[in-house]
């Protein structure tokens, strides 16, 4: 039987800092418009694909919520079917939570952003303005500017002259930069969090260089009237010599000793695996793809720290951080422990690593080629399961946009066989399983999705206003165009970030246990 709890009861479990899982099973756009502070988004349209990564322990106490529209109950039943034992829903969903007077938070990755703001308040992380950076760059001995976001973000836009080194890799590869000790380092992101955390990470590690975060990142740069560099090609991350690797390991040793970070040995991993703890490999994607410890999940440091809720949906989670020389794991552990997690550094675990098999993304539905789909035009219903914005941009003529939470409405209109179009065939499998409970139609999947359709020269059409904004529940409209020249959207975003701490109640604030540096420990 699936349980149900009141808003007050769930708030009590959260305030008690119990080791519980909390999932918002609404779609991404709904989640971003307002959610519980510590909830991870696990959209019903992707539920079974994501949940094992978010909650590896099927015996854990889990709470789900929705918009009081029945989605949480359907999701809870699905979780029970795949082996989760202790699943409850929030009675009345998010509306009941709000009616009880509890806070909701807009945006995404909120706990990580709150951490960044709290760190800045506590440590007074040094920052410079865009005008100050521009003046410094005119000097022949100007600063070394680093974009601390993932390379995918750097490709879209960055501050002119910045080098792409994601925060999690920066301390690890710092020795390879071979910078003079008196050269200033400036770290930027798109807003505030990654710049603050990146700069503070270097400061905490004790590097001698002057280090600053760029105030308000690329958005502050644009708001000050300056242009960004767009469509960039990031250089490969700098390789380290054996001597540089030793210097890198020394950073790990210093962090571990200075801040009393817990360390386990690779021999301890089987016990953690048996307890269904999170086994997160924090190395680069290339390193993980080459080989990794069986059962581990790739979680690059920059994203794990700045988007923790996308990997960890449990409060007070037990997290084993796998690395080579320990510096990336130490950096991650330092920040994750401040968010209330039991994060430990794993030494000497990569001796257990194995070659990584290719990921299995095969679906189970019978497939049709683009030519076979054309032959069925007029007698079959084509349902496009891509994102709402991708559908607006292009789709097969006559295809109807659909999303799993609203499959019941679509099912009423179906006639003849159904052809599902999805980039990931597993998404088509999940949608088809939803239809099975509602109708008896036969489902097929377009082999290769839209990519295969376009590769054969088949026509596509656009619909800029369909689905409507109200129906596009998977897309977050909240300041979505802040990187495209909308200055007001940028201002709203920065105001949102800086206002997050004031939204916390006393018990939410207590979750964050800041590890103070010696300089500010008595402040």
């Amino acid at each position: 039987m699936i349980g149900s709890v009141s808003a007050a009861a769930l708030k009590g479990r959260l305030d008690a800092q119990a080791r519980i899982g909390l999932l918002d099973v609404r779609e991404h756009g709904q989640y971003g418009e307002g959610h519980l502070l510590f909830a991870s988004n696990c959209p019903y349209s992707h539920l079974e694909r994501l949940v094992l990564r978010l909650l590896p322990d099927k015996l854990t106490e889990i709470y789900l919520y929705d918009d009081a529209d029945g989605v949480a109950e359907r999701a809870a039943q699905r979780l029970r079917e795949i082996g989760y034992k202790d699943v409850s829903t929030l009675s009345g969903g998010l509306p009941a939570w709000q009616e009880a007077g509890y806070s909701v938070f807009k945006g995404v990755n909120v706990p990580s952003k709150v951490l960044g703001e709290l760190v800045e308040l506590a440590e007074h992380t040094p920052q410079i303005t865009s005008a100050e950076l521009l003046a410094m760059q005119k000097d022949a001995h100007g600063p070394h500017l680093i974009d601390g976001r993932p390379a995918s973000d750097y490709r879209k836009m960055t501050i002119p002259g910045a080098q792409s080194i994601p925060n999690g890799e920066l301390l690890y590869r710092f020795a390879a930069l071979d910078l003079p000790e008196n050269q200033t380092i400036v770290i930027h992101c798109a807003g505030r969090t990654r710049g603050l955390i990146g700069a503070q990470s270097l400061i905490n590690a004790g590097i001698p260089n002057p280090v600053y975060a760029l105030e308000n990142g690329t958005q502050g740069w644009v708001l000050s009237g300056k242009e960004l560099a767009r469509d960039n090609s990031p250089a490969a991350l700098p390789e380290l010599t054996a001597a540089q690797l030793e210097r890198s390991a020394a950073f790990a040793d210093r962090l571990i000793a200075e801040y009393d970070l817990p360390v386990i040995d690779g021999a301890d991993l089987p016990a953690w695996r048996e307890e269904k703890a999170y086994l997160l490999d924090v190395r680069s994607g290339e390193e993980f793809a080459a080989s990794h410890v069986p059962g581990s999940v790739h979680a690059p440091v920059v994203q794990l720290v700045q988007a923790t809720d996308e990997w960890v949906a449990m409060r007070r989670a037990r997290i084993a951080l796998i690395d080579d020389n320990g510096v990336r794991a130490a950096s991650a552990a330092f920040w994750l422990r401040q968010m209330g997690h039991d994060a430990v550094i794993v030494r000497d675990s990569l001796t257990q690593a194995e070659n990584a098999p290719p990921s299995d993304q095969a679906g189970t539905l019978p497939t049709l080629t683009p030519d076979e789909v054309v032959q069925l035009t007029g007698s079959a219903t084509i349902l496009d399961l891509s994102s709402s914005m991708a559908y607006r941009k292009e789709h097969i003529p006559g295809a109807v946009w659909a999303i799993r939470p609203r499959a019941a409405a679509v099912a009423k209109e179906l006639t003849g066989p159904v052809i599902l179009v999805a980039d990931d065939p597993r998404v088509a499998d999940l949608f088809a399983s939803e239809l099975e409970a509602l109708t008896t139609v036969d489902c097929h999947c377009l082999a290769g999705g839209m990519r295969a359709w376009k590769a054969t020269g088949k026509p596509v059409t656009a619909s800029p206003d369909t689905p409507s904004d109200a129906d596009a529940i998977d897309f977050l409209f909240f300041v979505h165009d802040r990187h495209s020249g909308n200055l007001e959207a940028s201002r709203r975003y920065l105001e949102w970030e800086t206002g997050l701490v004031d939204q916390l109640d006393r018990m939410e604030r207590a979750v964050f246990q800041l590890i103070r540096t010696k300089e500010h420990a008595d402040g």
Side-chain angles (χ1 to χ4, degrees), residues 148-149 165-171 187 193-195 197-198 302 306:
R149 302 170 301 157
I165 305 181
N167 279 351
E169 296 288 332
L170 180 53
L171 190 58
I187 301 176
T193 310
R194 287 179 173 88
I197 293 296
V302 64
Q306 264 70 63

Side-chain angles (χ1 to χ4, degrees), residues 22-184:
L22 181 62
L23 297 178
D24 184 322
V25 295
R26 300 173 303 156
E27 298 306 301
H28 182 68
Q30 297 170 305
Y31 171 84
E33 288 297 335
H35 58 84
L36 275 64
L37 174 60
F38 296 110
S40 287
N41 190 206
C42 190
Y44 186 55
S45 55
H46 297 268
L47 180 76
E48 293 90 330
R49 286 185 52 238
L50 300 179
V51 70
L52 281 173
R53 185 183 80 177
L54 289 169
L55 289 169
D57 184 1
K58 290 185 176 181
L59 301 181
T60 197
E61 180 183 347
I62 302 172
Y63 296 91
L64 315 180
Y65 70 89
D66 58 10
D67 272 336
D69 51 9
V71 173
E73 286 75 17
R74 287 149 63 191
Q77 183 59 44
R78 294 284 184 163
L79 293 186
R80 290 297 300 269
E81 290 170 0
I82 62 175
Y84 286 87
K85 303 298 184 183
D86 189 357
V87 184
S88 298
T89 61
L90 171 60
S91 179
L94 189 68
W97 179 267
Q98 293 175 291
E99 289 169 9
Y102 303 131
S103 294
V104 298
F105 292 76
K106 292 175 72 73
V108 297
N109 309 136
V110 175
S112 298
K113 294 185 182 299
V114 168
L115 175 65
E117 296 301 319
L118 289 172
V119 167
E120 193 275 332
L121 289 171
E123 298 293 339
H124 310 297
T125 306
Q127 299 181 66
I128 62 171
T129 66
S130 296
E132 290 170 329
L133 173 61
L134 187 61
M136 293 168 68
Q137 287 180 315
K138 293 176 181 178
D139 190 291
H141 304 286
H144 193 86
L145 180 61
I146 292 170
D147 186 329
R149 302 170 301 157
S152 56
D153 291 340
Y154 176 90
R155 289 188 180 94
K156 297 175 185 175
M157 45 79 184
T158 192
I159 305 292
Q163 179 181 8
S164 174
I165 305 181
N167 279 351
E169 296 288 332
L170 180 53
L171 190 58
Y172 175 68
R173 300 179 191 272
F174 185 79
L177 297 179
D178 197 25
L179 300 178
E181 291 188 356
N182 63 349
Q183 184 172 12
T184 297

Side-chain angles (χ1 to χ4, degrees), residues 263-481:
V263 178
I264 65 172
D265 191 87
D268 299 316
L269 269 184
W272 283 65
R273 186 182 292 111
E274 182 68 22
E275 294 174 13
K276 303 299 181 184
Y278 293 83
L279 305 185
L280 302 181
D281 189 318
V282 297
R283 299 173 300 154
S284 70
E286 293 77 11
E287 291 169 286
F288 181 83
S291 67
H292 55 255
V293 174
S296 63
V297 172
H298 183 230
V301 178
V302 64
Q303 293 297 77
L304 178 58
V305 173
Q306 264 70 63
T308 306
D309 55 303
E310 295 182 19
W311 274 269
V312 179
M314 183 183 289
R315 301 306 309 137
R316 299 182 63 246
R318 301 188 72 225
I319 306 171
L321 299 164
I322 299 168
D323 195 4
D324 53 0
N325 71 355
V327 69
R328 289 172 287 191
S331 180
F334 177 80
W335 296 116
L336 291 175
R337 294 183 70 81
Q338 296 182 66
M339 297 173 70
H341 297 301
D342 179 14
V344 303
I345 300 150
V346 188
R347 294 281 204 188
D348 303 320
S349 61
L350 292 176
T351 55
Q352 306 171 26
E354 299 177 356
N355 291 335
S359 59
D360 180 14
Q361 293 192 2
T364 61
L365 291 175
T367 60
L368 296 172
T369 67
D371 288 337
E372 289 172 328
V373 170
V374 170
Q375 293 173 9
L376 291 172
T377 299
S379 61
T381 301
I382 302 175
L383 298 180
D384 190 318
L385 308 180
S386 61
S387 72
S388 55
M389 296 302 112
Y391 178 90
R392 283 184 178 184
K393 182 179 180 181
E394 59 180 16
H395 55 267
I396 297 172
V400 176
W401 185 70
I403 193 165
R404 187 184 185 190
R406 297 182 175 173
V410 174
K412 296 176 182 178
E413 306 297 327
L414 296 178
T415 57
V418 173
I419 302 169
L420 302 176
V421 181
D423 294 332
D424 186 335
R426 295 171 297 177
V427 173
D429 284 350
L430 296 180
F431 191 93
S433 71
E434 199 73 16
L435 288 182
E436 286 176 5
L438 300 167
T439 181
T440 58
V441 297
D442 292 327
C443 290
H444 295 74
C445 184
L446 171 60
M450 282 298 292
R451 183 178 302 175
W453 179 266
K454 293 192 296 180
T456 60
K458 300 289 189 295
V460 297
T461 189
S463 56
D465 299 318
T466 305
S468 67
D469 288 358
D471 287 334
I473 57 176
D474 63 323
F475 184 73
L476 179 56
F477 288 92
F478 171 55
V479 293
H480 71 282
D481 54 352

Side-chain angles (χ1 to χ4, degrees), residues 208-226:
N209 303 67
V211 180
Y212 296 89
L214 177 63
E215 186 178 57
N216 297 332
T218 60
Q219 293 176 95
W221 185 263
V222 171
L223 285 169
S224 67
K226 301 171 183 63

